[in-house]
Amino acid sequence: MLIKFKHIIVEGFQSIGRIELDLADRGFTLVNGVNNCPSDNAQSNGTGKTSLFNAISYALNGETIQGVSKNLVNINTTTGLLVDLTFDIDGHTFEVIRTKDHEKFGTSLKLVIDGVDRSGKGIRDTDKILADYVPELNGELLGAVIIIGQGMPQRFTGNTPSGRKEVLEKLSKSDYMIEDIKSRLTNRKIKLSSDIKEIDMKISTLNGKMSVLERQLSTSKEQLSSLEMPDQSKIDETEASLEKVRSKIAELTEEANTTRNKLTELTQEQTSLRGEQATEDREIENKYKAELDSLQKSKYELSARISSMKSEIVKLEKVVDVCPTCGQKLPNVHKVDTTKNREELKEVEFFLANIELQIKESSSRIAEEKKALAERYSNRTMELINQISFVKEELASINKTLVEYQKEETHKVSVLAELKALQKSYYDRVKELEKNIQLTESDIDKTKQEVVYNTLEREEANNRLGAITSMLTLATRDFRGFLLTNVINYLNIRAKSYCMDIFGTENVNLCLEGNNLNVTYNDKMYENLSGGEQKKVDIIIQLSIRDMLTQFSSFSSNILVLDETFEALDYVGCQKVVDVITKRLSDIESVFIITHRSNLSLPADSTITIIKDSNGVSNLA
């Protein structure tokens, strides 16, 4: 299994606030830390350097490499915990998103493979699915192959001699490999037996399917032969008749348009004639207008004067010069004689009567001239009215005939559509049955091939079942010692090779004595070595175990994290370790070196710095 880590996003994990980091193709990268949190009383410890890579284990397993799964949410942030890890395995892209108390996602686990969400119903289901795709990628393997550190619980030399043997048995799986083999063989036998039963059921199902398909084929062929083709002559006759009707409709439509145009012309002529008559009528009125207006004005003036004169006469005649009580004449009161007033009144009334007579005469002349005008236009007007009435009757007759032909057209179109629908239905049904026959024949051929294939599969499964049964008789626990011995021999070969690169000698050795696994250098037990020698031996053993796991588990990773590995080494020692990694570990694209030493000079391709602020939250600089 080739795993290529590509990208990681960490939020609210341990001391981290939010860090996003590309993991692939980085070469040698120094990881420094700056602690500005006064309560920590530290310069670089506790900044989150180890936490950043521990998040890989958390994403994959729900716990750190140390096995911690609780109290991982940064209490100094409010968004909760999220780790989003992207990596490739054998050409497939995986994205694992694990959250805890997250403000948006809550507590969840999401698995996306090649862009498709493969998550289960819950976290447990998704963990099982993830384990199926990435088997055994637990904290122990990560700590032995990917994240190598002096403070890690997987540091092999940190165990007692007997503890080392247990760790090696666990890592190499020699303690239960035989049982695992037996279990796998037994499961395989059960699976093969189940497969044989399943194949038998498939063959039986396929034979049943074959019978059904053959009946379907026979039915489709019978239905095809029983179909009757519609009479094409009826369609042709209906189309010819419809064409005649449409020709007559076109003829009537043209005749109706001509008649309608004629009616429009007559109506326009009638309107024009009315306009001419009205114009001449206004000319007659205008001819006498000035005269009538003058007479009417004089009439209004005389009428007003007569009204005033009458009022004055009435007023004068009402004057009384005798006391109505005693009958004596009133002093200074004289009764006025209105005779002259009345004469003037008569004279004015005469003038008014004369003017009214003139008005009447003028109105009479206007009426006579208008009457003569109306008589002059009457003949042409009546002629137009009669012509319009005749044309309207003619147009109504044409439209009535046209509507009858249009109804006939609609009927024939409907009949033709039904005939063509029947014809189309026939051809569609023929096409459908022919397609069904073709598909059914194809299905029959495929089913026959499947029967042959499954028969061969059953024979092959029977052969494999016999081989598995034979292998079960060979699997015993006697292989355990042999396997562990082979593992130690392989480790010694790799360790001596690394020892030559780092110490210039092959004097490192792993030796199994009873229940103890001792590590020596220059014939001195590991526990008796100096601090610098122990550091170098640690690196040699750890890299050898990595090779062993890579060899035996077919496992390879593109990243390596060295957590405080160089702390007790001088520049020369550091350079030799770097040279070993560069030359020997060709599958590694990125080496992350976590260190507290600011004076450590390494040939790094890049540097990243994690800064912890005064609030206890770590982020990339």
Side-chain angles (χ1 to χ4, degrees):
M1 177 175 65
L2 171 61
I3 182 168
K4 182 175 181 178
F5 292 98
K6 297 169 66 176
H7 192 76
I8 190 169
I9 300 173
V10 184
E11 295 180 0
F13 181 77
Q14 293 185 323
S15 66
I16 294 175
R18 188 181 192 281
I19 294 179
E20 184 171 352
L21 185 67
D22 288 326
L23 300 173
D25 298 317
R26 296 187 66 99
F28 283 87
T29 300
L30 287 179
V31 183
N32 297 326
V34 177
N35 195 332
N36 293 328
C37 183
S39 62
D40 287 354
N41 193 24
Q43 292 184 344
S44 65
N45 286 330
T47 57
K49 301 186 295 298
T50 300
S51 297
L52 175 59
F53 299 99
N54 241 330
I56 295 175
S57 176
Y58 179 76
L60 294 170
N61 304 294
E63 62 183 19
T64 65
I65 294 177
Q66 296 86 351
V68 178
S69 60
K70 297 181 179 180
N71 301 321
L72 296 175
V73 181
N74 191 338
I75 60 174
N76 297 314
T77 61
T78 60
T79 58
L81 184 156
L82 178 146
V83 178
D84 186 338
L85 179 65
T86 305
F87 55 93
D88 289 346
I89 296 180
D90 300 332
H92 297 283
T93 299
F94 291 73
E95 183 180 13
V96 179
I97 305 173
R98 193 182 293 270
T99 62
K100 175 71 174 177
D101 299 333
H102 194 269
E103 62 178 358
K104 182 177 181 181
F105 304 108
T107 300
S108 65
L109 175 60
K110 183 177 181 180
L111 173 61
V112 179
I113 304 174
D114 294 330
V116 180
D117 193 339
R118 301 292 187 184
S119 307
K121 294 181 179 179
I123 295 177
R124 289 186 179 180
D125 283 347
T126 308
D127 267 324
K128 291 179 182 178
I129 296 170
L130 178 60
D132 289 338
Y133 282 103
V134 192
E136 302 174 1
L137 194 56
N138 51 33
E140 294 177 352
L141 185 63
L142 290 171
V145 178
I146 298 175
I147 306 174
I148 299 175
Q150 300 304 312
M152 294 293 177
Q154 286 74 27
R155 187 168 66 90
F156 183 74
T157 51
N159 291 277
T160 63
S162 61
R164 293 171 194 154
K165 176 177 177 291
E166 292 177 4
V167 170
L168 189 58
E169 285 179 336
K170 192 172 184 180
L171 285 174
S172 65
K173 305 186 185 306
S174 61
D175 60 340
Y176 62 87
M177 189 174 294
I178 296 300
E179 292 302 320
D180 183 61
I181 290 173
K182 286 183 177 180
S183 176
R184 289 174 182 270
L185 289 173
T186 300
N187 290 337
R188 184 58 179 160
K189 182 178 179 180
I190 294 171
K191 180 66 168 57
L192 283 171
S193 298
S194 176
D195 288 347
I196 290 171
K197 291 181 180 179
E198 186 175 342
I199 291 172
D200 286 339
M201 291 180 65
K202 283 183 180 180
I203 293 174
S204 177
T205 301
L206 289 170
N207 286 331
K209 180 181 178 181
M210 184 80 70
S211 299
V212 172
L213 290 173
E214 288 174 347
R215 287 196 297 272
Q216 288 178 353
L217 180 61
S218 176
T219 300
S220 295
K221 287 181 177 180
E222 289 176 0
Q223 291 176 347
L224 181 61
S225 63
S226 64
L227 289 177
E228 294 184 5
M229 181 182 295
D231 188 357
Q232 179 64 35
S233 62
K234 290 184 179 180
I235 294 177
D236 296 338
E237 290 174 2
T238 305
E239 286 180 337
S241 176
L242 178 61
E243 186 63 28
K244 290 180 181 179
V245 171
R246 285 176 172 168
S247 177
K248 185 62 178 177
I249 288 174
E251 180 183 335
L252 288 170
T253 301
E254 184 177 357
E255 185 178 351
N257 289 336
T258 302
T259 306
R260 193 176 293 107
N261 291 336
K262 184 176 179 180
L263 177 63
T264 301
E265 291 174 359
L266 290 172
T267 304
Q268 290 175 348
E269 184 179 352
Q270 183 184 41
T271 303
S272 177
L273 189 64
R274 286 174 180 171
E276 291 175 4
Q277 183 178 353
T279 300
E280 291 187 29
D281 197 69
R282 284 193 299 274
E283 288 176 353
I284 293 171
E285 290 179 352
N286 291 333
K287 184 170 66 173
Y288 294 99
K289 184 176 186 303
E291 181 183 349
L292 280 173
D293 287 347
S294 177
L295 290 172
Q296 288 289 352
K297 181 179 179 183
S298 297
K299 177 183 176 180
Y300 293 146
E301 290 175 351
L302 290 173
S303 296
R305 184 179 175 186
I306 289 171
S307 178
S308 175
M309 291 175 71
K310 286 181 177 180
S311 296
E312 180 65 21
I313 291 171
V314 171
K315 180 179 178 183
L316 292 174
E317 289 180 347
K318 284 184 178 180
V319 174
V320 179
D321 58 352
V322 178
C323 176
T325 304
C326 64
Q328 294 183 2
K329 191 175 182 306
L330 297 173
N332 299 323
V333 177
H334 303 282
K335 191 172 179 69
V336 179
D337 185 5
T338 60
T339 302
K340 187 177 180 179
N341 296 75
R342 289 190 174 275
E343 289 176 354
E344 290 179 359
L345 174 62
K346 288 181 180 180
E347 185 179 350
V348 173
E349 288 177 340
F350 175 77
F351 287 149
L352 176 61
N354 186 41
I355 286 174
E356 287 178 342
L357 180 61
Q358 292 180 46
I359 291 173
K360 185 177 181 181
E361 290 175 351
S362 295
S363 297
S364 178
R365 287 196 298 274
I366 292 172
E368 288 175 359
E369 290 185 19
K370 283 188 175 183
K371 182 179 179 182
L373 177 66
E375 289 175 353
R376 182 158 53 88
Y377 277 93
S378 175
N379 292 335
R380 181 55 184 158
T381 300
M382 288 304 298
E383 182 182 348
L384 286 174
I385 290 172
N386 292 333
Q387 287 179 344
I388 289 171
S389 177
F390 176 77
V391 172
K392 283 183 178 180
E393 290 176 358
E394 185 180 3
L395 181 60
S397 177
I398 294 171
N399 285 334
K400 181 178 180 182
T401 305
L402 182 60
V403 168
E404 291 174 355
Y405 274 99
Q406 286 173 339
K407 288 180 179 179
E408 185 177 355
E409 179 194 27
T410 302
H411 173 69
K412 290 186 180 297
V413 167
S414 177
V415 171
L416 182 61
E418 290 179 2
L419 292 173
K420 287 187 174 182
L422 288 173
Q423 187 183 62
K424 184 179 182 301
S425 176
Y426 166 78
Y427 286 116
D428 287 346
R429 183 57 177 160
V430 169
K431 186 177 180 180
E432 179 186 0
L433 289 172
E434 288 177 344
K435 183 179 179 181
N436 288 342
I437 290 171
Q438 183 180 359
L439 291 175
T440 305
E441 288 175 343
S442 177
D443 284 345
I444 289 173
D445 290 339
K446 289 180 181 178
T447 305
K448 287 180 179 178
Q449 292 175 8
E450 288 184 32
V451 170
V452 173
Y453 172 79
N454 280 279
T455 301
L456 294 175
E457 281 285 299
R458 190 184 189 287
E459 292 177 2
E460 186 177 347
N462 272 326
N463 294 334
R464 290 199 297 268
L465 181 61
I468 292 294
T469 303
S470 299
M471 291 173 65
L472 274 171
T473 62
L474 298 176
T476 64
R477 289 189 60 85
D478 294 338
F479 286 125
R480 178 174 180 176
F482 174 76
L483 289 173
L484 188 58
T485 300
N486 282 347
V487 169
I488 294 173
N489 289 338
Y490 178 84
L491 286 176
N492 268 318
I493 293 172
R494 301 306 301 158
K496 290 180 185 298
S497 177
Y498 285 125
C499 186
M500 178 60 71
D501 289 331
I502 293 177
F503 283 111
T505 70
E506 295 183 350
N507 293 338
V508 70
N509 189 54
L510 284 83
C511 179
L512 182 62
E513 297 178 357
N515 202 38
N516 293 332
L517 181 59
N518 295 316
V519 178
T520 63
Y521 172 68
N522 278 340
D523 297 327
K524 290 192 296 184
M525 300 293 286
Y526 171 82
E527 290 76 11
N528 297 328
L529 297 176
S530 67
E533 288 176 328
Q534 284 187 347
K535 293 289 185 181
K536 293 178 181 179
V537 171
D538 284 341
I539 294 172
I540 290 169
I541 298 300
Q542 208 71 32
L543 292 178
S544 300
I545 291 175
R546 183 186 186 277
D547 288 351
M548 180 269 293
L549 292 174
T550 301
Q551 176 70 23
F552 291 168
S553 301
S554 298
F555 179 84
S556 178
S557 169
N558 67 318
I559 69 170
L560 178 65
V561 181
L562 301 178
D563 192 353
E564 303 181 25
T565 302
F566 296 103
E567 301 306 290
L569 300 180
D570 56 18
Y571 176 79
V572 175
C574 292
Q575 187 60 51
K576 286 185 177 182
V577 173
V578 170
D579 290 342
V580 166
I581 295 172
T582 303
K583 294 176 182 178
R584 297 295 189 93
L585 306 183
S586 59
D587 59 328
I588 296 177
E589 298 175 348
S590 304
V591 179
F592 296 93
I593 302 171
I594 299 175
T595 178
H596 298 294
R597 293 175 55 182
S598 59
N599 62 345
L600 184 61
S601 178
L602 289 175
D605 297 293
S606 62
T607 300
I608 61 174
T609 302
I610 301 175
I611 299 178
K612 189 174 187 179
D613 61 23
S614 59
N615 295 320
V617 179
S618 300
N619 296 285
L620 283 182

